[in-house]
């Protein structure tokens, strides 16, 4: 006998994606009395939350503002960020007595485990009678318009479902080993939306073989610098790796870097380089250049920089005494250390990227409700949209804000 099809289950809202934005949207809608179903293809919900912040989840940033986000439409994020702020999510964390601490630059982390953030979201969903189904693959989505209200029918590996409000909270392409796919972009295109070209962001940069050979001994060495790319500067640490450069400052500028662009490093961010070197001429006239630089850098790093490129000729591999520089040479030396050029060959790709730059174009999505302007009842939230935050909790705050705001209208 032929197998009968599973019965159709009807919900007011179906959210595709059990990540940060999806769970926030679901619990907000559930609190309004909406019957909500969350579907996710992964075997465990909130995987990216659990992984984040070295396992401690940098869940928001005290200094969140629209200027911390990249988008073709820089105004799109303003409404949601003002309606659900970092203080609102901090209050939710405090409600569950999750201990947290502030690191540098306003970044808030759990004292214990990232799992606590997932747990509080799941508890809020449970209290709002939200149903969550993991291990569920979406096989097809069809839209039917019966003249009264739009209906979306989903065929999945867990059965057939229908809803009037369908929320796409599928994230981007970063961390494919965690199950990230381009499914959300496919849904957007199915219903007529354009996709802003995507690429890895907040990602380590790779360097040439020759460069790596010169700096091989520095793998694991870090230093505080100012990194600049295409007019954007960040004062944080860089880290030498066996493939190139990483660390917070590099991850930040990677969102602005494109192929063939240069990144400029100021190795002496705490001082005016020329004034420091000029003073050193008077104070330690017989000292070698590398010895003077080691006052602000580690000896290994100072020596390696002086062995590279223009600095090798200018400093005599670091052994030229500081008193032997003319005025113009000292200016040149200061400029090299404040504007040290890095020519990356690429990035480490989506497998190491924290987020995806680009996504669903916001021009056809409401910044108030997050509903499609092309397709009634279809919503896009979180990273799947063309909104990308800086490093430091800003992408989580976007997830909370966009999810909460959409949850009030689905």
């Amino acid at each position: 006998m032929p197998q009968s099809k599973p019965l159709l289950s009807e919900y007011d809202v179906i959210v595709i994606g059990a990540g940060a934005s999806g769970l926030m949207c679901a619990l907000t809608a559930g609190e309004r009395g909406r019957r909500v179903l969350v579907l996710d293809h992964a075997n465990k919900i909130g995987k990216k939350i659990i992984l984040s912040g070295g396992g401690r989840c940098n869940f928001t940033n005290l200094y969140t503002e629209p200027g911390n986000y990249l988008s073709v439409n820089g105004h799109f994020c303003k409404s949601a960020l003002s309606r659900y702020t970092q203080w609102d999510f901090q209050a939710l964390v405090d409600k569950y007595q999750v201990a947290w601490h502030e690191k540098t630059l306003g970044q808030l982390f759990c004292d214990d485990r990232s799992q606590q953030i997932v747990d509080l979201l799941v508890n809020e969903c449970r209290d709002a009678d939200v149903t969550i189904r993991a291990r569920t693959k979406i096989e097809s989505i069809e839209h039917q318009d019966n003249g009264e209200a739009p209906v979306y029918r989903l065929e999945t590996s867990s059965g057939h479902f229908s809803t009037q409000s369908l929320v796409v909270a599928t994230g981007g392409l970063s961390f494919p080993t965690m199950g990230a796919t381009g499914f959300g972009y496919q849904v957007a295109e199915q219903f007529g939306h354009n996709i802003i070209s995507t690429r890895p962001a907040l990602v380590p940069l790779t360097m040439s073989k020759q460069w790596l050979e010169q700096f091989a001994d520095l793998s694991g060495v870090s230093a505080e610098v100012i990194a600049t790319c295409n007019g954007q500067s960040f004062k944080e640490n860089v880290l030498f790796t066996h493939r190139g450069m990483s660390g917070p400052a590099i991850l930040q500028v990677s969102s602005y870097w494109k192929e063939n662009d240069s990144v400029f490093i100021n190795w002496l961010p705490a001082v005016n380089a020329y004034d420091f070197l000029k003073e050193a001429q008077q104070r330690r006239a017989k000292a070698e250049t590398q010895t003077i630089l080691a006052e602000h850098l580690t000896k290994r790093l100072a020596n390696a920089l002086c062995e590279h490129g223009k600095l090798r000729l200018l400093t005599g591999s670091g052994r030229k005494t500081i008193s032997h520089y003319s005025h113009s040479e000292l200016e040149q030396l200061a400029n090299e250390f404040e504007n040290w050029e890095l020519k990356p060959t690429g990035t480490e790709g989506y497998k190491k990227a924290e987020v995806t730059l680009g996504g669903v174009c916001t021009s056809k999505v409401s910044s108030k409700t997050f509903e499609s302007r092309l397709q009634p009842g279809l919503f896009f939230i979180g990273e799947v949209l063309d909104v990308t935050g800086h490093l430091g909790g800003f992408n989580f705050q976007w997830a909370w804000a966009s999810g909460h705001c959409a949850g009030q209208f689905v």
Side-chain angles (χ1 to χ4, degrees):
M1 294 181 61
Q3 287 186 329
S4 59
K5 285 190 176 182
L7 294 175
L8 182 68
S9 298
E10 297 182 0
Y11 289 86
D12 299 321
V13 182
I14 294 180
V15 180
I16 305 176
S21 63
L23 293 173
M24 177 59 79
C25 179
L27 69 89
T28 305
E31 288 169 353
R32 294 173 46 233
R34 304 290 280 165
R35 188 170 178 235
V36 183
L37 171 66
V38 182
L39 300 175
D40 199 296
H41 71 285
N43 59 356
K44 190 174 184 180
I45 67 172
K47 277 189 170 183
K48 200 168 180 181
I49 300 174
I50 295 169
L51 178 72
S52 67
R56 292 195 174 179
C57 189
N58 179 194
F59 56 81
T60 193
N61 194 294
L62 294 177
Y63 305 124
T64 300
E65 56 184 35
N68 298 119
Y69 296 87
L70 293 80
S71 175
V72 170
N73 178 5
H75 298 287
F76 182 82
C77 65
K78 292 180 179 179
S79 175
L81 292 174
S82 67
R83 286 183 288 144
Y84 191 86
T85 70
Q86 56 269 43
W87 316 114
D88 292 317
F89 193 76
Q90 182 189 327
L92 179 59
V93 172
D94 289 342
K95 172 184 172 181
Y96 282 86
Q97 299 182 330
V98 174
W100 55 269
H101 60 279
E102 179 186 351
K103 277 194 176 181
T104 56
L105 305 173
Q107 302 169 48
L108 300 192
F109 286 79
C110 297
D111 284 357
D112 194 3
R113 300 175 303 124
S114 303
Q115 183 65 48
Q116 293 175 297
I117 301 298
V118 177
D119 291 344
L120 73 83
L121 294 169
V122 171
N123 284 336
E124 289 285 297
C125 283
R126 186 179 297 118
D127 290 345
D129 292 326
V130 172
T131 301
I132 302 174
R133 287 176 180 254
R135 302 175 185 271
T136 299
K137 180 182 178 182
I138 311 294
E139 295 168 352
S140 68
I141 300 173
E142 293 182 2
H143 171 253
Q144 297 178 344
D145 193 342
N146 58 14
E148 298 176 4
V151 175
Y152 294 90
R153 294 186 182 274
L154 282 68
E155 255 190 60
T156 81
S157 59
S158 295
H160 298 181
F161 304 97
S162 71
T163 185
Q164 292 185 1
S165 293
L166 180 64
V167 183
V168 179
T170 51
L173 296 169
S174 56
F175 292 111
T177 56
M178 302 286 288
T181 71
F183 181 74
Y185 307 138
Q186 296 170 24
V187 176
E189 290 178 322
Q190 177 183 341
F191 292 103
H193 284 268
N194 293 326
I195 306 299
I196 302 298
S197 180
T198 60
R199 59 187 175 90
L202 302 183
V203 62
L205 298 174
T206 55
M207 299 298 296
S208 69
K209 183 178 179 181
Q210 180 185 8
W211 190 96
L212 292 173
E213 288 172 351
Q214 287 184 299
F215 291 98
D217 291 342
L218 289 186
S219 184
V221 171
S222 66
E224 185 179 67
V225 304
I226 297 173
T228 301
C229 184
N230 288 320
Q232 299 293 320
S233 297
F234 298 90
K235 184 180 181 181
E236 295 191 61
N237 276 13
V238 295
L239 173 71
F240 287 85
T241 74
H242 67 285
R243 289 176 55 82
M245 295 288 278
S246 187
I250 294 298
L251 298 185
Q252 296 281 36
V253 297
S254 73
S255 295
Y256 298 90
W257 179 85
K258 293 180 181 178
E259 189 175 1
N260 297 321
D261 286 344
S262 292
V263 174
F264 295 92
I265 306 292
N266 178 354
W267 291 106
L268 301 171
V271 296
N272 177 287
Y274 178 79
D275 290 345
F276 164 65
L277 294 169
K278 187 67 177 175
E279 186 268 340
Q281 277 188 326
Q282 301 169 350
R283 178 170 51 86
R284 303 183 67 183
K286 295 183 180 180
E288 293 182 343
T289 307
Q290 59 192 10
T291 303
I292 295 298
L293 292 170
E295 293 180 13
H296 285 278
L297 303 169
T298 65
K299 186 177 180 180
R300 283 174 65 196
L301 178 55
N303 291 352
L305 293 176
C306 288
E307 286 281 3
H308 178 68
K310 297 177 183 177
L311 285 171
R312 182 172 185 172
L313 296 175
L314 185 60
T315 69
S317 295
R319 288 183 286 276
K320 185 174 180 178
T321 57
I322 195 71
S323 62
H324 286 167
Y325 289 92
S326 67
H327 174 76
S328 61
E329 287 175 331
L330 208 63
E331 284 187 329
Q332 188 179 353
L333 181 61
N335 182 64
E336 284 298 318
F337 274 95
E338 288 184 331
N339 297 280
W340 193 74
E341 187 176 11
L342 201 63
K343 288 288 289 186
T345 57
T347 77
E348 293 210 28
Y350 289 115
K351 67 181 184 297
K352 292 290 184 70
E354 298 209 8
V355 290
T356 303
L357 198 68
V360 178
C361 181
T362 60
S363 65
K364 300 301 181 182
V365 178
S366 167
S367 62
K368 178 181 179 181
T369 66
F370 290 85
E371 185 174 14
S372 165
R373 298 186 190 280
L374 303 175
Q375 187 70 32
L378 181 63
F379 297 74
F380 297 94
I381 58 174
E383 191 184 343
V384 75
L385 287 164
D386 173 38
V387 177
T388 306
H390 288 167
L391 185 73
F394 299 105
N395 287 292
F396 272 126
Q397 186 54 42
W398 172 245
W400 313 136
S402 59
H404 175 82
C405 292
Q408 294 178 319
F409 292 95
V410 290

